[in-house]
């Protein structure tokens, strides 16, 4: 009897500096002028801008843009790609976009490759992406290393990783079924 033992676990987040520079820059450029204008118009009574809105509309717009842009920053801060390889399957989810784990059993996997890929040329960037041509779907958050699963149904799936050797080792063990009920290699 086989136990469902975790052979590999990785949690990745959007950590590339330029993404955060864009997000914080967009937040600052869109929110700070609105707050300045709202504060200026409400405290001095002098209308803000060339075609000023009324106080209520300006305040509602400022709050809405702040919530929208703040929500976007928080969404990226919370986002994470979680990957687990167990003795019987590969499981992953892209939280908070996909809360439920997607599981691919060993029997569904024809073969795998772990190594470098080109996120922009192959998939158009990071996130949940549909690859160009016959590349399949990708789930990635940073870098250019990934695990490509070639499935029995003819589909391909790439899961990004920062630990290519460890994920490859775990996949080899899982595919060979080398985990006993005591969690030791046989």
């Amino acid at each position: 009897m086989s136990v469902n033992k975790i052979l590999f676990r990785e949690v990745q987040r959007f950590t590339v500096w330029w993404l955060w520079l864009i997000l914080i820059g967009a937040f600052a450029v869109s929110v700070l002028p609105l707050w300045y204008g709202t504060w200026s118009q409400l405290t001095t009574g002098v209308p803000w801008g060339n075609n000023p809105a009324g106080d209520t509309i300006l305040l509602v717009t400022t709050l809405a843009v702040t919530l929208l842009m703040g929500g976007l920053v928080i969404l990226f801060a919370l986002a994470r790609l979680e990957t687990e390889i167990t003795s019987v399957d590969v499981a992953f989810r892209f939280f908070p976009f996909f809360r439920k784990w997607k599981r691919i059993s060993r029997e569904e996997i024809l073969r795998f490759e772990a190594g470098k890929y080109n996120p922009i040329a192959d998939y158009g960037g990071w996130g949940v992406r549909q690859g160009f041509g016959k590349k399949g779907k990708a789930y990635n958050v940073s870098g250019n290393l990934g695990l490509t699963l070639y499935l029995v149904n003819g589909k391909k799936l790439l899961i990004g990783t920062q630990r290519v050797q460890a994920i490859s080792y775990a996949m080899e063990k899982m595919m060979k079924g080398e985990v006993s009920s005591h969690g030791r290699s046989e």
Side-chain angles (χ1 to χ4, degrees), residues 22-33:
I22 291 169
L23 283 170
I24 305 237
F27 179 85
V29 166
S30 60
V31 171
L32 294 178

Side-chain angles (χ1 to χ4, degrees), residues 58-93:
L58 183 58
L59 186 58
V60 167
T61 301
T62 300
L63 291 173
V65 170
T66 301
L67 289 173
L68 180 68
M69 294 304 293
L72 186 62
V73 170
I74 290 168
L75 187 66
F76 272 89
L78 293 175
R80 64 185 183 267
L81 174 60
E82 298 174 83
T83 307
E84 283 186 358
I85 297 172
T86 71
S87 53
V88 297
D89 64 9
V90 175
F92 63 95
R93 69 178 176 175

Side-chain angles (χ1 to χ4, degrees), residues 54-183:
D55 291 352
T56 304
I57 292 174
L58 183 58
L59 186 58
V60 167
T61 301
T62 300
L63 291 173
V65 170
T66 301
L67 289 173
L68 180 68
M69 294 304 293
L72 186 62
V73 170
I74 290 168
L75 187 66
F76 272 89
L78 293 175
R80 64 185 183 267
L81 174 60
E82 298 174 83
T83 307
E84 283 186 358
I85 297 172
T86 71
S87 53
V88 297
D89 64 9
V90 175
F92 63 95
R93 69 178 176 175
F94 208 145
F95 186 85
F97 308 105
F98 305 107
R99 296 175 134 205
K100 190 174 179 182
W101 288 86
K102 168 94 169 122
R103 297 194 170 278
I104 301 170
S105 71
R106 175 176 46 218
E107 292 77 24
E108 295 175 77
I109 303 169
L110 188 59
R111 66 185 177 92
F112 71 92
E113 291 176 3
K116 286 187 177 182
Y117 70 101
N118 188 324
I120 295 176
D122 295 342
Y123 298 97
W126 294 269
V128 178
R129 313 295 295 205
Q130 182 62 47
F132 301 121
K134 296 181 180 181
K135 296 285 183 191
K137 195 172 238 184
Y139 295 82
N140 54 23
V141 293
S142 67
N144 64 347
L145 300 174
L147 171 70
T148 302
L149 301 177
Y150 296 84
L151 305 178
V152 173
N153 65 11
K155 293 182 179 181
K156 288 186 205 176
L157 175 73
L158 178 123
I159 303 169
T161 184
Q162 299 301 309
R163 301 171 48 212
V164 74
Q165 287 180 313
I167 203 169
S168 185
Y169 178 75
M171 282 298 298
E172 287 173 20
K173 289 188 78 62
M174 187 264 293
M175 293 298 287
K176 291 177 183 175
E178 292 183 358
V179 178
S180 72
S181 61
H182 301 294

